[in-house]
Amino acid sequence: MQSWTDTLRFAFQPVVNLTTGGVAGLEILARPETGDVLAEARRNPELDGRLAVLAFRAAARKETLFPLYVNVFAGTLADLGGLTPLHDAVRAAGRLPWEVTIDICPPYTHVPQQALLEAVGALREQGFRISADGVGDGDIPLRLLTDLAPELVKLDASLLARPAAVGAMRTLCERLGALLCVEGVETELQCASARSAGAQLAQGELFAPPARLPAAEVYVPPRSSGLAVTPRSGPSVREFVRPAALLPATASAGQVRALLTGSPDVSGVLLVDTYGVPVRSMHRSRFLLSMSGRYGHALYADRPAAKLGDPPRTVGVDATAWEVLDVVADGGRDRTSDDVAVVDAYSRCVGVVRLADLVRALAETRVEEAAGLNPLTRLPGSDVITGEVDRRIADGRTFALSWLDVDHFKRVNDGAGFAAGDELIRSVGRALQHAASDSTRVGHIGGDDFLVLADPEGLRPLATSMLDAAWSAGGLPITLSLATVLCEPGSVADHRQAASCLAPLKKAAKSLRGASWVLGRAGLPGHEILRGVTAAAAPAGCAVAEPGRG
């Protein structure tokens, strides 16, 4: 008699790292050839638990080293209180629970929340990582989501059309210490939106469809602009994490050799203890060289691999790319190409970072930044500022976008000469950089026009410094005009809308005599004159704030 398992197959869909373009893991999807075993599993916790075990075993048979994502209904976990058979299957396959993420799937309605939380606690004790699946298109309560404190949140791609919601979820993920993954990505525009929203991971038909064989290569659209890197912080190491090749600390040299020779893309192996904490690092080239020498295999094959390894180099998941480079620089010169292990708050390995990825990304960023710098002031152009505007909108942050220029600049060039005009622009650029705080971005968009992006509380000191200064060029007194639009969460959808709100304020500032400053709020009518001798009516076009209300 034919069993339902005889007509059940599994497909694998890659989870993609949006920064490195590499595969960060594989989600295992049940594909019954007949019937609807998934609907039955939703009603039958025991059946759903068996499906999870079968899914993992299907992946283990493919001998993939990628981290795995196993789907389980929330009701199943609440009813079973954990997944002991899955834990046993993982151990039997020689894998570690930290390499497996449990995708908790909706529905959550009528699921006992306390029982679910206790089950998740049991899974974490077993070593599994937790993902909240179907967020944005499912029914998970926000309070339950925060109580689950997942390591990964999977957001439905349909939510990308609502930037404020995505920004709020990104902020929540940062508070929870979770990664954000957008699932169901089908177009390059959705991929770009996911990147702009700050998602670290994504999956969908665009990258690779579900397939019977695990895919090692995927299509990832090129980035339209470089990473937003600043010397003070730099990109997060999370953006560069690759899956780690892990073996138990007791592994023999022969086991390590078999893994490396069978997986040419693996650059090294980490030996971890029973808790997933790295104890030794095995560099591919050095290890294979030791094994290939005369008598090497005979001497070492059955001996502990740890004797051929090095102390692991580690960084926390909250480290920056620059901190990883510091770790590499502090090590021996012969280990500059070693992988750096990325560990969580419990020192458990969650992946590795390759130095080549960091250097390539940072170098590309520097090249792109240099290409976009204004040759006169060496300040970035508008693309850097507008990109940061979009990120702050996605993050749900309040910000002030300002335009600053020199009044009657043509008269300066005509009266004092182009050399004096160029020196004035350089002086204004240097003064803006000097007055800017750590969170302020300054750009030179050409001629005498500058953009300033700042937190509201950091804008007034900068404005005072610039407008109170005694400016001159070739003996001619010079004044500056400043226009600011204050954007609160939900008031603008993107940088284009913010710029359209700034345009009428620029005209209003230029209509005043002397050093001037006009302030408005996006979405509200009118504007406030903070500096300037005479007032002019605000031009029509975009709503800005009433006088005295900002």
Side-chain angles (χ1 to χ4, degrees):
M1 181 177 178
Q2 191 178 48
S3 168
W4 61 269
T5 59
D6 296 331
T7 60
L8 182 65
R9 301 292 182 266
F10 292 93
F12 304 89
Q13 185 170 46
V15 177
V16 175
N17 185 313
L18 289 176
T19 299
T20 65
V23 178
L26 296 171
E27 181 175 356
I28 314 169
L29 304 169
R31 291 291 186 263
E33 295 181 359
T34 60
D36 194 352
V37 68
L38 294 180
E40 179 63 25
R42 177 175 167 179
R43 297 186 294 268
N44 185 338
E46 294 289 345
L47 175 58
D48 194 31
R50 289 182 62 193
L51 278 178
V53 173
L54 290 172
F56 172 79
R57 287 176 176 167
R61 286 195 296 271
K62 303 297 183 182
E63 297 184 348
T64 175
L65 293 173
F66 287 117
L68 302 173
Y69 294 78
V70 178
N71 293 309
V72 181
F73 288 112
T76 296
L77 296 178
D79 188 84
L80 298 182
L83 296 171
T84 301
L86 177 61
H87 183 261
D88 294 340
V90 171
R91 290 294 191 184
R95 298 293 293 265
L96 294 165
W98 297 278
E99 301 174 79
V100 179
T101 298
I102 306 298
D103 267 356
I104 305 179
C105 303
Y108 292 85
T109 303
H110 308 307
V111 173
Q113 294 190 8
Q114 187 57 40
L116 175 60
L117 293 173
E118 291 175 359
V120 167
L123 289 171
R124 283 203 169 99
E125 288 182 3
Q126 291 172 340
F128 294 110
R129 303 179 74 214
I130 302 299
S131 167
D133 204 348
V135 175
D137 196 39
D139 61 343
I140 182 170
L142 188 58
R143 183 174 65 180
L144 177 59
L145 178 62
T146 57
D147 288 343
L148 287 173
E151 284 79 17
L152 181 71
V153 171
K154 287 191 172 181
L155 198 67
D156 190 83
S158 63
L159 217 60
L160 292 173
R162 298 166 175 81
V166 179
M169 187 54 60
R170 171 63 194 273
T171 300
L172 178 61
C173 286
E174 289 179 349
R175 297 289 178 86
L176 295 175
L179 295 175
L180 180 62
C181 175
V182 178
E183 55 183 350
V185 175
E186 298 180 351
T187 68
E188 295 197 9
L189 180 60
Q190 286 180 322
C191 179
S193 297
R195 280 171 164 158
S196 177
Q200 295 95 349
L201 306 171
Q203 61 185 124
E205 295 280 343
L206 174 68
F207 311 108
R212 294 291 175 85
L213 295 176
E217 295 184 1
V218 293
Y219 167 73
V220 180
R223 301 178 69 92
S224 58
S225 60
L227 298 171
V229 180
T230 66
R232 303 179 184 92
S233 55
S236 169
V237 72
R238 294 169 183 256
E239 300 178 7
F240 303 94
V241 174
R242 289 176 174 264
L246 304 177
L247 284 176
T250 55
S252 68
Q255 289 176 294
V256 174
R257 182 178 183 275
L259 191 159
L260 290 174
T261 55
S263 306
D265 292 335
V266 173
S267 55
V269 176
L270 287 173
L271 303 183
V272 295
D273 65 15
T274 55
Y275 297 100
V277 177
V279 293
R280 301 296 282 179
S281 173
M282 325 295 294
H283 182 269
R284 180 186 187 88
S285 298
R286 292 199 303 275
F287 178 85
L288 292 180
L289 185 63
S290 298
M291 292 290 288
S292 62
R294 191 178 185 184
Y295 309 122
H297 188 271
L299 285 173
Y300 298 117
D302 296 325
R303 300 182 67 182
K307 293 183 178 297
L308 296 176
D310 299 293
R313 297 187 297 185
T314 62
V315 295
V317 293
D318 295 322
T320 68
W322 298 107
E323 290 174 293
V324 177
L325 294 183
D326 289 340
V327 170
V328 173
D330 288 341
R333 297 180 64 179
D334 60 332
R335 297 192 62 192
T336 54
S337 61
D338 286 19
D339 294 342
V340 176
V342 181
V343 298
D344 63 14
Y346 301 98
S347 298
R348 299 180 304 201
C349 180
V350 297
V352 295
V353 173
R354 294 181 181 177
L355 178 63
D357 288 340
L358 295 183
V359 172
R360 185 184 306 112
L362 295 176
E364 289 174 354
T365 299
R366 288 295 181 246
V367 169
E368 290 180 355
E369 286 182 347
L373 294 180
N374 187 286
L376 188 60
T377 60
R378 307 304 296 167
L379 289 173
S382 60
D383 286 349
V384 172
I385 305 300
T386 55
E388 180 64 20
V389 167
D390 286 337
R391 279 185 285 276
R392 297 195 186 193
I393 292 172
D395 290 343
R397 294 172 58 182
T398 298
F399 62 88
L401 180 63
S402 301
W403 165 90
L404 179 141
D405 83 336
V406 178
D407 294 328
H408 311 297
F409 184 62
K410 187 176 184 301
R411 296 180 188 175
V412 175
N413 281 336
D414 291 345
F418 287 105
D422 288 349
E423 182 54 38
L424 174 63
I425 296 303
R426 280 192 287 264
S427 297
V428 171
R430 287 193 295 266
L432 280 171
Q433 287 180 295
H434 181 74
S437 65
D438 288 351
S439 61
T440 300
R441 300 290 178 265
V442 177
H444 183 190
I445 59 177
D448 62 324
D449 293 320
F450 295 84
L451 282 179
V452 179
L453 177 63
D455 293 332
E457 59 272 15
L459 180 61
R460 188 172 291 276
L462 181 145
T464 300
S465 173
M466 297 301 297
L467 299 179
D468 283 352
W471 297 99
S472 64
L476 300 175
I478 301 298
T479 58
L480 306 179
S481 293
L482 181 67
T484 300
V485 59
L486 191 64
C487 300
E488 296 182 338
S491 62
V492 290
D494 55 26
H495 70 269
R496 296 176 184 85
Q497 192 172 355
S500 68
C501 291
L502 189 58
L505 296 173
K506 171 183 174 180
K507 294 180 181 178
K510 295 299 289 183
S511 69
L512 303 176
R513 293 198 304 269
S516 61
W517 184 14
V518 169
L519 173 70
R521 288 180 183 269
L524 295 177
H527 63 267
E528 181 178 1
I529 299 173
L530 302 179
R531 291 282 188 103
V533 175
T534 60
C542 183
V544 289
E546 288 275 75
R549 294 177 61 181

